[in-house]
Every structure is written in C-alpha cells, then in structure tokens.
Amino acid sequence: MPDVAADSAASASGGALVPFVPDTEIAVVYPLHHGLKPPITRVSISWARGNNLRVSLLRNPPYNSDSDGEIGGKVVEVNLDSGAADVREPVQWRRIAYGSVTPFALLQSRKNSASSLSKLQSSPSPFHLDWWEHVMEYSKDIKELLGNPKSNYDPLIEDPKEVLKKGEEPTSLKAAWELMEMFYADKLCQSWLPERLVDWLADYDCLLSGDQPTVHSKLVEFQGTLVTLQVIEDDPKYWEVISSALAIGWLEIVVKLLRLHGSYQLDQLGHRETENGLVETVAVLISMMPRFRPELKNGKLGECFEAKPDFMKAWEKWREQITKLDSSAFWVPCHHRQTREGLKNLIQIMLGNTKILCTATAHWIELYISHFLFIRPFTAGLEGMYNLAQKCVQMKPMSSPHKLLQLIIGIIGENTEVVLAECSRGFGPWMVAHAIELLTARSDQADILLHKEHDDIGGISMEELHRLVYAQVLTSHFLTWQIAPVYLTSCMKQGMSLLEFLLYRQPAQHNQLLLKNLEICRLYELDHVSSNIMKIAGVYHWKHGRKGLGVFWLQQARDEFLLNKIARHLFDSVGKSISSESFKQWEGLIELLGSESKPAGSLEFLHKYRDFKKSLQQACDKKTLDAARHAADSLMSLMKNPSTPQRFWLPLLYDSLTLLTWSGRPLLNVSQTNLLLNKLQELSMASVRPGFVATDLPAEALNSVRLALATNLGRAILEEQ
Amino acid sequence: MAITNLPKPPKIHRIPQPKFIDAIRWLSSPSPFQKSFITSLYDSDFHTPSLEIHSLDPSKTLTTALFSWTPPSRISSLKSTPSLFAASTFLGSLHIFKTPEEMSVLGNDMSDLGSKTSDMEPVVSVVGREFHVGSVGGVDLMEGGSECVSVGEDGRVNLVDERGDFRRVFDGNGLVSYSAVKWASPSEFVTGGCGFGLQWWDHRKSGAAVAQFKGNWDHGTTSGIIHSIDIHPSRKHTCLAGGSSGTVFAWDLRRQQEPIILSSIGSSDTMTHPLSESEVWEVQYDCYTKSLNSNISSSRILPAMICSEDGILAVIGQGEEPTELLAEPCAINSFDIDCQNPSDVICSLEWESIVILSRP
C-alpha cells in the first residue's frame, strides 16, 4: 500500500523533535603515521582509551621467504580532539585540568559548609547574599588558568605606528568563561552589562575572524600596509578602518590613527590649518565620549559616569557639541575631500546613524556593540538585549555560526539548556562541569533546573550528569585519573559507586601506583575497596613469583582465607623438610610474618618453626639444660598447634631426636610424651589414606622416633614416681 | 603548622613540564650559576620514557634539555654522584652514565651545547633475566667509587662494577622484595622492603644479611613498605628510612630493636605528631637546616627532609616541630638537595611540574 508507506515516511520525519542536521561540512582529516610500505590489505578500527581510536593496519603476509624485511603491520592510536579548538595540546588541557581541581574543591567545601550552616539556622541564611562573591573568587582562579602564558611582553620603546597592541594571546575558552562570568556570577557589572560586552569584544574580536572579516582583521591588515603609505589620508582604507574602530568603541585606536593624519606634520601645518583643526576637534570629541560605566581601564578613553542622570546630562551635551560641529562653517574651507568625508562619516557614527554603523561593522556582534555605544546606551534587561541581538543578526546574517556568538545568544535568550548545550558542544566537558557553578551563582531558576533529579538518567541531576561526564574524561587518561575522585565525590547519587569502579580498574602491578590508589581509598574512607585492591595485588604478585610481596599484601588485606590457601602451596616449595641451609632464604619472609598484629593464617607455622630451629640449634651448641628445655617447649607448642601441617610432624620429631634422648634427665613429662606418641599414631593411620604426603626421611626415621619417645616415656615415668 | 626556624619563606619557582616526571636529581656543576639536573620523564601521549639532562637558567624559570636517552622502559630509581649517575628500569635493567662534567674532562667540548639536545649513551648497561626479573626497586652508587648496588622486587641483591660485570650478593627467589638501598661504607649497605624491614649487608659476607631490623609495630596498621633510605656520612651506624603511613624512623645499629620514630601515625608521643599520613616517598638528611638543640650528641638524629604523597615537603628533627616547606595539592614524588649548595632543593610533582626551592 503506497499510501501507508508515504504516510509513515512523513510521520517519521515530521515526528522528530529536533531536526537532525549532520555536520557534513565539518569533515576532519586525521593523518596516520604508520610508516608501512603501501599494499595495506586490512584496516580495523576500534575505540581505545578515552577519545582515541585504535587503527590496526595489516599488510599481506609475505609469500616467499626472501621478503622485503618489512614488518607485517602496525597499530596506531589517533586522538580525536574535543573541546575548544585553540587548546589543542593535550599538555595544555591537562594543565587546565590540574589547576582547576583546587578552586573546584574549595568551592564545593564552602558550599557544603554553607548549606550545613543554613540547615542549623533554619532562617534564610546570610550566605545567599554573598555566595556570588565566593563564586567570583573561584572564577578568578579559573580564569588565571585559561590565559595563555606564552606571550605578554612589553616593548621598551613604543612604536608610534603600532596601532594594535599585542597582549596575551586570547583563547576562546577564556572568552566563553568571561561571558558566563559577567552574565551569571558578577553581580557588580549587572548595571553596565552593555559596556562590559564592549570590553569583552575588545579582547576577543580577533577570535571571531574566521571566514568573515572583523574589525580586528581589518586593522591587522591595515597595520601591515601602514609603513608603506606615503599620504595616509588619501587612502580610503584609512578612513574605513577609523570608522570601523570607532563603531565598536576602540577610541584610543581611533585617536591614535587620527593623529597620524598628514596635517599634523610640521611642514604641512601652515597650509592645512583648518583641516588640522577639524581632525583634532573630532579626536578630542571622541576622547571625551561619555561612558555609562563605573571605571575604565588604564589607557582607555572616555569619561565615566556611574549615575544615570549624570550620564544623561553629559551625553546630551556631547551630542549637542557634535551636532554643532557637524553644521559648522569650517567644513567649507577644508579642501581635502577624503578628510572631509571621512570626518563627516565619524560624526554620523557618533550621532548613531544606523546605516553608517551597519557599513562600518562586519559581524553582527560588532553592529550590536555599536548600537550599545551610539544608539541605545541605556539598554537594560536581557529581554531588550535579546531583541536587539535578533535585529542585528537579521541585518548581518552569519554564514556559519561561531560558537562564541551562539553562546551569547543562548545567554541573553535566557535559555539555560541552550547555554549548557553550547558550552558542551563548543568547549567540551571541562567547560560544562566548571561553568555550572557560574550558572547557579545567582539564579534560582537555573539552580532548580540543574538540580532537578531526572528519572530517565538514573535519578541524577543535570549538574551531576555533567560532572560525571567530565570525570569520565579524566579517568580515560592515566595521568589525570587521580583527580577524577574530586569530581566523583561531589556527585551525590552515582559518584561513589563509580569511584569504586574506577579504583578497581587501576592496574596493580607497580607498588607505587598501587599505593597512590590506596591513598585515595584512605582519603575517601573506602576501606572495603582498599582491602580488595590489596587482595588483587597480593594474588598478582604471588602468581608472578614474588611470594614475599604477595604475602605482604594479603596480610595487609587481612585475608586469612587466601593466606591459608597459599600456605599449602608454600609448604610444598619449602620442601618436605626444611634444612637449615635453605632457611636463610626464608628469613626475610618469616620476618614479615613475625608481626603479631597481622594475621598470617597457617603461615604462622613458618615463624614458629624458625624459632624452634633456632632454639634447637642453641641447645645443640650450648648443651645446657635451659636451652634444651626451651627447645622442648617450642617443640611442644608446635606439635600442639593445630596450624602445624601434618606432613611436618615426623620431620619435626626426627629433628628433635637429641631432645628426646637428652642425657641427664628427660625433657618431656609423661603427658607430653603421650601426646607426641598419639600424634605419631595418628600419622601412621593417615599414611594409609589416599593423599598422604610422604616425607623423604630415611626409612628408619619413624622407628627411631618411636624408640626415642618410648625411652623418654620410660624415663619420665621413673622420674615422676 | 608554625614555621619556627625559618625567618623568611623560601623562594619557590614552578616549572611546568610536558611530561610526567618519575625521578629527579641535581647534577654537580662547575659554576653555581649554571645548574643542571637529571630527570627521568614519561611521555603519556606517546608512551615513551626518556632520561634527560636539563640545564637551569639563572632565573630558575626555564629549563633546556641538553642530553637525552631513551631507556627500554620507565625509570624506577635514579641516583647520582659527582662523576656518575645510575638509572634502573621497571623491566629490570640498570644503566650507568658519566655526568656531562666528567664527559668534558674526557675531551668532549661542552661549549657548543645549549641550543639543541644531543644523545647520550650509558657507559654500562646490565640487562637480562640473569640480572633482575621484574622491576628494580632501588639502586645506589658508591660515593667516589664506582660500584653500584641494585635491589629488586625479585629479592635479588646485585653489585655492578665499572666494567658492567655483576655479582649476586643474595637471591631471595621472590620470597622477599626490596624497594630501597643505600651504601653505608665501601663494603656495607642497607636495604629496605616490606613490613618496614631493614637489612644491613656486608658484601664480603654474602649469603645473608649481617643484621635484620624488624620493628615491633604493635599499633596494628602501621606496617608498610620502605621507599627510601639515607645514611649520613658522619653517622654510619644510623640509618634513616621513610615509608608508608607517614612513617619516618631511624635505626641505630648499636640499639638494634628500637627504632627512633621521627614521624608516624599512631605514636602516642605528642612531640612526634604525624606530619603526613600517606606515603613518604623520599628521605634525605638535610645539612642546611641546623638543629635547634645545640648539644648534638652522636645518638641524636640530624634534621631530615621528606616528601610525601599528600604533597608535603618538610624538614623534621628529633623531638622538634616539623618545618613545612611546601604544601601542594598533589603528590611530591621525589626531591633532591643540591649537595654543593644545600639551600637549593628540586622536587617533582605528580601534576607534571618541577618546583625549585631556594632557601634564604
């Protein structure tokens, strides 16, 4: 049925909530450096750690033996970069990640103490009033990180023809951060937001010049030709650049350029007096422009007025002066056409002629700024700003949207979700996770939106989601995974379980890394995780032949079960009888087991056995009764101890034949001897059962022990009577 | 923490590095204005380790790589003397180099260096499963001599001579593991490992340690691994050790079973309250700090510098308040005091940077 098919097709496309437009024009090419000789027959691609693709390239296996000696293939990793385009270097990203940990953690702890304080006081706490100040402090620390440390040098001799000063190289990440800061966190600049935007554009206009020219790019271009120009005021470019710079309020550049006008030269001053007077008047008027703002940075021109009535008065007076100049009679004797027209043009800009402003600016944001400066200095409220922005965008449509401008529209459009989406798309997970603090600094509405728990994403809030995403990025790199816990622990719902997962995933091979891992467990009181990690490490080392380390970690984990289990293996390798020679090697391990505080399981036997051996040796050397008695005591405690493996019973007794047949007097009493005889009996019963481990003692060992015990029993009975 | 005996705080220079720093050591230099250091780095983007000699410009804000060498794996331990330095790897190999100063004595002209990094080659390399299996825990070069001792996780203790031949002093067959070693005299050295165990060896008597130290750590949780050992040339009978749980103690051979605890958690002594509760990665006697007490008997422990996983670089003395020199948000993994000019300390931080302290 064609009807149904057409219908379903229509509903499929029409039912989509968001039209999906694939970014076909943004195809990125990543070069591969594999160094293989051409015929590559197979390529396989898979995800590697983090944002990396693992590409395996295979050549055909050589058919004949005298191959070209080439390797058969190679695996390379390609990093697909994310986030801000001008912070491409992973090193730089890591530096930002490291540096933002302390400010973030400080802000979180302040937030926690503030909220616990407000719970105590029950009344609306005073913290709400100055919370934004804490956020501003945080923002200042973060901004410091985002700056580019490379540039920033001051030349000793100022170049008179250098119009554009080179300062810190701007990054779009910092530009975006400043936008968020001024609109969401900084309470002080709320009354003069338009002028704040003027400053912002002065710093970051250069970032906007991509495929479209900007005032900045025009100025840079003109700066290049400036040295070669003979008569500067004849060049139409000169006047064009001046009017563009004036339109976006770069007053000091305009004045500097105007004073390069040829009429200022001493040899020309005589016959171009009127012309020079006009140029200077315009320059003075420009430098006196009233600004509706509390202060200006050093070297910036204009007169500041903080109170609205004062500003109004000054503004009216200024406009009056301009109008007066416009209709003055001095224009007639000015014969230089370009100067006359150029200056008239500047006057029109200052009077707020929309058409001329539109031609002087390139980007819509520049037009927008010029509106603030010359047409609507009192624009207040985000709604008014948004309407104006819409108008400007219509007048100067963009070919491809710039991410910073998209962000501005999102912000003044008062759409928190759009702002978050733009942050995430344009600047990556770091930006979102950290900028959320700015978003919620003063706005309760954003606060509610970001902290609302969503059931469809596991009951977590948007804030937590973005922190988790950032933590995920951190964990994908082996140098930054250690700072992920700071972000994970700030996530109430899922953070801790993900942290445990992260800790389990870390490799256990190297002790140093393992200890760093355990330190994190200690900080966040994850004792069960740390004991599991230690067990993993213990088993790993044990399996790789490092028995000492294995036992150490299992002891630290207090895992008696595993210790008992490996004890059985260990006794096998100890040999069926421990000769005193091989014991030297065991000394270290036994020392380790000696600490009473840690359970050693059946391995405790080794320690006791060593002590027994030592005392036996002493008894044989010294031949004193005391030493012999001591040895006999430790023999008894070994034989009584249930952890002594059965297979060691006979070797133990055989070793202590000298004690059993001690000349002079018997060392063991009747009940002790009986106990030993019983053990011997038990042993001969066990020997017929399957699974009995035979000793490599001489065949007559059992008999000689039995005989010695019997003799001892006889002597003991005699003594006790 | 009160900074008691420092009138002025030290000057601190931070130099970010593009790679992770595994270890760092000063190199002796002919002039105090031309300092250089050796560092073992790990490039996480390309998974390549490197051993590099850097020179430090007099303002202490910029470093330039002079020499570089690519080891077979990451460096596990690095030690230097005025004429030699030795590096051991996670793969169980040992490499000994002549210092640049020594190389120039041998005829190499150093004057044209500076702009580009040149390659260096070890004078001795010992590799193979016969030597060590698995990571080498620690190495130490004899001061003035040329013998190098290496200990490993595999429990082996080896002596390497200047020709590259090695002699096995002991083979623990994995039943023990060693993580630190330090020469005490031309024939004696001390090793450390798990369970805060220390062993005193005399290589003339191979087969077993001469003395064993196994402290009675009855506080339950305080057992751990020794990470670093130092022995003062004037007090060869005492050995300083630092390890897990913020523990720093001294072992006096003359009183074998009582450790002198300088810092540890769980110790009831109020004078030695713990400076750190995490791993103490390195300890070194600090000859720059003078002890407050004037009567320096031979049984008294000299001031020592430590660095820890929780980011503390401090000087501790027996029975004195510790002096904190640095408190970083990340771990300080290693440090070195310049033996020619002990006011200068260099340390490597977890977050890929170097800090240079110049004490007033």
Side-chain angles (χ1 to χ4, degrees):
Chain A
M1 284 179 286
D3 261 347
V4 177
D7 190 42
S8 68
S11 70
S13 61
L17 288 174
V18 184
F20 175 67
V21 185
D23 297 338
T24 39
E25 65 264 62
I26 318 168
V28 188
V29 178
Y30 297 97
L32 283 181
H33 304 286
H34 52 77
L36 290 175
K37 275 195 178 172
I40 291 166
T41 49
R42 290 180 65 185
V43 175
S44 92
I45 301 175
S46 63
W47 281 107
R49 209 170 168 156
N51 207 8
N52 286 1
L53 276 185
R54 184 177 294 136
V55 184
S56 317
L57 303 144
L58 295 171
R59 302 173 75 226
N60 259 344
Y63 294 110
N64 46 354
S65 55
D66 55 317
S67 65
D68 45 5
E70 276 280 306
I71 42 170
K74 204 164 184 185
V75 181
V76 286
E77 287 196 359
V78 188
N79 181 265
L80 312 174
D81 89 329
S82 65
D86 44 5
V87 193
R88 274 190 195 280
E89 291 287 313
V91 177
Q92 218 172 329
W93 261 119
R94 287 203 299 275
R95 199 149 297 144
I96 292 173
Y98 295 144
S100 42
V101 171
T102 316
F104 180 82
L106 179 68
L107 191 73
Q108 296 308 317
S109 79
R110 277 183 175 162
K111 200 182 273 182
N112 290 341
S113 61
S115 72
S116 60
L117 198 71
S118 68
K119 261 181 214 151
L120 274 178
Q121 290 177 342
S122 77
S123 59
S125 68
F127 107 85
H128 218 72
L129 295 174
D130 52 7
W131 176 246
W132 68 273
E133 284 176 37
H134 291 303
V135 178
M136 280 306 285
E137 206 174 298
Y138 157 80
S139 177
K140 201 179 129 231
D141 292 344
I142 299 276
K143 260 198 314 199
E144 240 164 66
L145 282 173
L146 302 180
N148 223 332
K150 271 181 247 168
S151 44
N152 227 352
Y153 80 103
D154 272 327
L156 284 176
I157 304 159
E158 207 175 329
D159 181 3
K161 292 212 167 176
E162 192 198 44
V163 183
L164 274 177
K165 285 237 173 65
K166 270 194 205 129
E168 193 184 78
E169 205 176 304
T171 63
S172 60
L173 197 60
K174 193 176 181 186
W177 186 269
E178 284 199 1
L179 275 179
M180 302 285 282
E181 183 196 79
M182 75 171 96
F183 280 100
Y184 293 113
D186 195 351
K187 204 177 179 181
L188 294 178
C189 78
Q190 293 311 303
S191 53
W192 52 288
L193 263 178
E195 278 277 355
R196 192 71 189 74
L197 268 178
V198 174
D199 289 354
W200 180 85
L201 190 72
D203 289 340
Y204 300 111
D205 193 45
C206 53
L207 293 173
L208 303 176
S209 40
D211 37 2
Q212 236 175 316
T214 57
V215 175
H216 181 265
S217 68
K218 276 195 217 165
L219 269 168
V220 170
E221 200 185 314
F222 182 69
Q223 167 101 60
T225 59
L226 196 57
V227 201
T228 55
L229 279 182
Q230 288 294 328
V231 188
I232 194 168
E233 61 273 19
D234 286 353
D235 190 5
K237 263 260 151 67
Y238 172 67
W239 295 105
E240 199 186 312
V241 165
I242 290 182
S243 58
S244 292
L246 177 64
I248 59 170
W250 295 1
L251 305 184
E252 60 290 339
I253 291 177
V254 175
V255 171
K256 193 166 186 179
L257 278 171
L258 279 177
R259 298 214 163 123
L260 291 177
H261 193 274
S263 64
Y264 281 95
Q265 281 171 19
L266 287 175
D267 54 334
Q268 311 217 356
L269 210 57
H271 62 276
R272 297 173 76 176
E273 209 171 339
T274 326
E275 191 184 339
N276 182 253
L278 283 169
V279 175
E280 182 59 26
T281 315
V282 171
V284 168
L285 273 175
I286 287 172
S287 60
M288 278 165 48
M289 177 177 175
R291 312 282 295 261
F292 186 35
R293 56 188 293 157
E295 85 251 309
L296 271 166
K297 262 190 265 172
N298 254 355
K300 303 274 175 189
L301 296 176
E303 282 174 16
C304 302
F305 296 93
E306 211 173 343
K308 201 168 169 181
D310 295 348
F311 173 76
M312 284 268 271
K313 228 181 272 169
W315 176 259
E316 289 304 324
K317 201 176 143 207
W318 186 65
R319 293 286 278 252
E320 232 167 70
Q321 285 170 327
I322 296 169
T323 330
K324 215 193 263 172
L325 177 67
D326 193 25
S327 54
S328 111
F330 286 109
W331 296 103
V332 186
C334 175
H335 299 300
H336 196 269
R337 186 181 56 86
Q338 282 98 332
T339 304
R340 200 173 57 231
E341 280 172 12
L343 289 178
K344 282 275 192 182
N345 208 34
L346 295 185
I347 285 173
Q348 284 307 308
I349 285 176
M350 286 192 278
L351 290 174
N353 184 325
T354 324
K355 225 178 92 197
I356 291 176
L357 282 178
C358 199
T359 48
T361 51
H363 251 279
W364 72 260
I365 184 84
E366 290 169 354
L367 181 64
Y368 188 50
I369 293 298
S370 70
H371 269 80
F372 286 145
L373 282 167
F374 300 106
I375 302 177
R376 292 165 59 176
F378 297 120
T379 313
L382 287 176
E383 208 184 327
M385 287 175 82
Y386 184 66
N387 290 338
L388 183 59
Q390 293 288 24
K391 217 174 93 188
C392 293
V393 173
Q394 272 171 9
M395 287 162 86
K396 282 194 181 290
M398 286 179 288
S399 52
S400 62
H402 193 280
K403 54 186 178 182
L404 279 172
L405 302 182
Q406 298 284 87
L407 182 63
I408 292 183
I409 291 184
I411 291 172
I412 54 183
E414 291 181 275
N415 195 333
T416 314
E417 273 136 327
V418 171
V419 172
L420 277 182
E422 289 298 342
C423 277
S424 151
R425 203 179 57 157
F427 308 98
W430 176 88
M431 179 71 182
V432 193
H434 289 87
I436 279 179
E437 302 301 332
L438 299 177
L439 268 172
T440 53
R442 294 189 304 116
S443 155
D444 287 336
Q445 193 202 343
D447 198 64
I448 293 165
L449 181 85
L450 286 166
H451 291 114
K452 196 186 145 214
E453 287 167 3
H454 296 267
D455 288 331
D456 51 343
I457 47 173
I460 59 174
S461 63
M462 291 298 281
E463 182 188 62
E464 179 162 349
L465 175 72
H466 287 295
R467 279 184 194 161
L468 290 178
V469 170
Y470 177 58
Q472 191 64 36
V473 173
L474 289 176
T475 55
S476 69
H477 194 280
F478 96 106
L479 288 179
T480 52
W481 75 266
Q482 282 188 63
I483 56 183
V486 174
Y487 294 89
L488 286 174
T489 48
S490 71
C491 299
M492 300 313 288
K493 283 255 161 88
Q494 306 276 334
M496 278 322 246
S497 52
L498 279 172
L499 176 58
E500 289 183 18
F501 186 66
L502 167 68
L503 290 168
Y504 283 135
R505 245 184 6 180
Q506 295 308 315
Q509 294 94 307
H510 294 303
N511 278 329
Q512 203 178 4
L513 292 180
L514 184 74
L515 289 166
K516 284 178 189 284
N517 212 348
L518 292 173
E519 170 72 7
I520 293 171
C521 295
R522 189 180 69 83
L523 282 179
Y524 298 107
E525 291 169 351
L526 294 167
D527 288 346
H528 62 289
V529 180
S530 70
S531 91
N532 279 338
I533 290 172
M534 290 191 278
K535 278 181 206 175
I536 293 169
V539 172
Y540 174 86
H541 286 299
W542 174 264
K543 281 187 172 167
H544 284 79
R546 293 182 286 273
K547 300 188 173 67
L549 268 180
V551 168
F552 171 75
W553 284 118
L554 289 173
Q555 261 191 306
Q556 294 283 319
R558 296 169 186 271
D559 187 344
E560 270 187 78
F561 175 75
L562 272 178
L563 280 170
N564 285 339
K565 210 162 174 180
I566 67 171
R568 257 176 273 149
H569 289 277
L570 203 54
F571 295 148
D572 282 343
S573 50
V574 169
K576 280 140 196 152
S577 160
I578 305 174
S579 67
S580 49
E581 218 13 74
S582 77
F583 232 92
K584 275 188 180 170
Q585 282 197 332
W586 291 84
E587 197 72 25
L589 183 64
I590 287 163
E591 278 299 328
L592 195 60
L593 297 168
S595 53
E596 298 297 315
S597 60
K598 290 273 164 40
S602 327
L603 291 174
E604 216 180 327
F605 157 74
L606 278 180
H607 193 246
K608 290 212 171 95
Y609 186 48
R610 198 266 316 252
D611 289 349
F612 163 69
K613 275 274 181 183
K614 266 191 188 159
S615 53
L616 187 64
Q617 194 67 41
Q618 275 182 346
C620 293
D621 292 349
K622 290 187 188 163
K623 302 217 180 290
T624 60
L625 188 63
D626 273 351
R629 251 185 217 288
H630 183 68
D633 283 347
S634 56
L635 172 70
M636 282 317 293
S637 82
L638 260 178
M639 291 303 282
K640 273 188 206 158
N641 196 324
S643 74
T644 306
Q646 199 179 43
R647 71 175 91 150
F648 284 99
W649 290 355
L650 190 57
L652 272 171
L653 291 171
Y654 189 64
D655 282 348
S656 28
L657 274 179
T658 37
L659 296 178
L660 301 178
T661 56
W662 192 259
S663 55
R665 52 172 301 186
L667 297 170
L668 304 171
N669 62 27
V670 179
S671 64
Q672 283 171 327
T673 322
N674 274 332
L675 185 125
L676 295 183
L677 278 168
N678 283 340
K679 288 268 179 192
L680 216 55
Q681 189 63 27
E682 210 178 303
L683 197 63
S684 27
M685 303 258 285
S687 66
V688 293
R689 285 203 209 107
F692 176 76
V693 187
T695 56
D696 55 356
L697 292 174
E700 72 279 3
L702 185 65
N703 284 331
S704 45
V705 169
R706 199 169 271 155
L707 183 65
L709 279 175
T711 321
N712 191 75
L713 184 62
R715 286 163 70 195
I717 291 171
L718 281 175
E719 186 151 291
E720 275 172 36
Q721 273 174 349
Chain B
M1 197 146 302
I3 293 178
T4 46
N5 50 354
L6 273 186
K8 272 188 282 177
K11 276 204 192 80
I12 296 169
H13 302 276
R14 281 161 214 278
I15 311 169
Q17 298 289 309
K19 297 168 189 174
F20 184 80
I21 303 142
D22 281 323
I24 199 155
R25 299 279 165 225
W26 286 112
L27 277 177
S28 65
S29 60
S31 119
F33 304 107
Q34 259 304 315
K35 288 174 101 73
S36 57
F37 59 89
I38 171 153
T39 170
S40 62
L41 301 163
Y42 182 63
D43 187 325
S44 59
D45 299 318
F46 297 97
H47 306 278
T48 46
S50 62
L51 191 67
E52 292 176 9
I53 293 177
H54 286 244
S55 77
L56 187 68
D57 80 332
S59 69
K60 290 177 182 162
T61 50
L62 203 72
T63 69
T64 340
L66 298 177
F67 295 96
S68 166
W69 179 69
T70 308
S73 81
R74 280 175 74 172
I75 300 294
S76 58
S77 176
L78 183 67
K79 289 281 173 72
S80 70
T81 66
S83 58
L84 295 171
F85 59 90
S88 63
T89 65
F90 281 157
L91 280 182
S93 60
L94 173 76
H95 310 274
I96 302 175
F97 297 79
K98 286 207 158 74
T99 57
E101 203 185 338
E102 193 78 359
M103 279 193 273
S104 67
V105 168
L106 294 169
N108 289 12
D109 190 14
M110 293 270 292
S111 57
D112 58 353
L113 289 169
S115 54
K116 74 184 216 318
T117 313
S118 23
D119 290 335
M120 58 179 177
E121 284 301 323
V123 286
V124 165
S125 272
V126 196
V127 288
R129 294 184 67 82
E130 281 300 299
F131 183 56
H132 278 291
V133 181
S135 177
V136 178
V139 288
D140 195 32
L141 279 164
M142 199 188 294
E143 199 79 31
S146 54
E147 250 184 331
C148 181
V149 56
S150 70
V151 295
E153 277 183 356
D154 53 359
R156 287 182 185 166
V157 180
N158 291 322
L159 283 177
V160 179
D161 65 17
E162 57 200 326
R163 292 184 309 277
D165 300 326
F166 72 89
R167 180 160 75 85
R168 174 85 37 86
V169 179
F170 180 71
D171 190 348
N173 277 324
L175 292 169
V176 280
S177 285
Y178 300 111
S179 49
V181 66
K182 178 79 190 171
W183 283 104
S185 75
S187 58
E188 292 161 297
F189 56 89
V190 178
T191 60
C194 299
F196 287 150
L198 288 174
Q199 299 82 28
W200 196 284
W201 304 78
D202 186 331
H203 69 72
R204 291 165 298 194
K205 300 173 199 158
S206 64
V210 180
Q212 284 263 5
F213 164 72
K214 182 69 191 69
N216 189 17
W217 304 91
D218 46 357
H219 302 297
T221 53
T222 49
S223 177
I225 299 177
I226 301 275
H227 299 307
S228 173
I229 300 173
D230 198 15
I231 292 167
H232 199 277
S234 70
R235 314 250 170 110
K236 297 201 169 182
H237 48 82
T238 326
C239 149
L240 178 74
S244 306
S245 314
T247 306
V248 183
F249 66 94
W251 177 40
D252 193 332
L253 262 193
R254 296 167 301 183
R255 277 188 302 276
Q256 287 201 12
Q257 292 315 315
E258 312 160 35
I260 303 157
I261 296 169
L262 298 176
S263 174
S264 108
I265 48 170
S267 62
S268 52
D269 192 351
T270 46
M271 284 301 279
T272 59
H273 78 98
L275 181 64
S276 157
E277 293 183 14
S278 58
E279 307 299 315
V280 171
W281 290 122
E282 187 135 23
V283 288
Q284 272 185 32
Y285 281 112
D286 179 24
C287 43
Y288 183 75
T289 307
K290 298 282 172 282
S291 184
L292 279 181
N293 299 40
S294 49
N295 60 330
I296 301 187
S297 69
S298 74
S299 62
R300 203 176 164 75
I301 307 301
L302 295 167
M305 190 181 285
I306 64 147
C307 71
S308 75
E309 174 66 22
D310 49 6
I312 287 168
L313 181 78
V315 177
I316 51 177
Q318 194 180 357
E320 287 169 22
E321 268 298 305
T323 311
E324 230 171 78
L325 296 173
L326 264 186
E328 291 292 311
C330 65
I332 302 177
N333 287 325
S334 70
F335 74 89
D336 196 26
I337 302 173
D338 189 359
C339 56
Q340 290 174 314
N341 184 14
S343 68
D344 286 356
V345 183
I346 191 165
C347 16
S348 71
L349 305 189
E350 182 77 22
W351 289 350
E352 297 171 75
S353 56
I354 289 172
V355 173
I356 294 167
L357 274 98
S358 310
R359 290 182 277 179

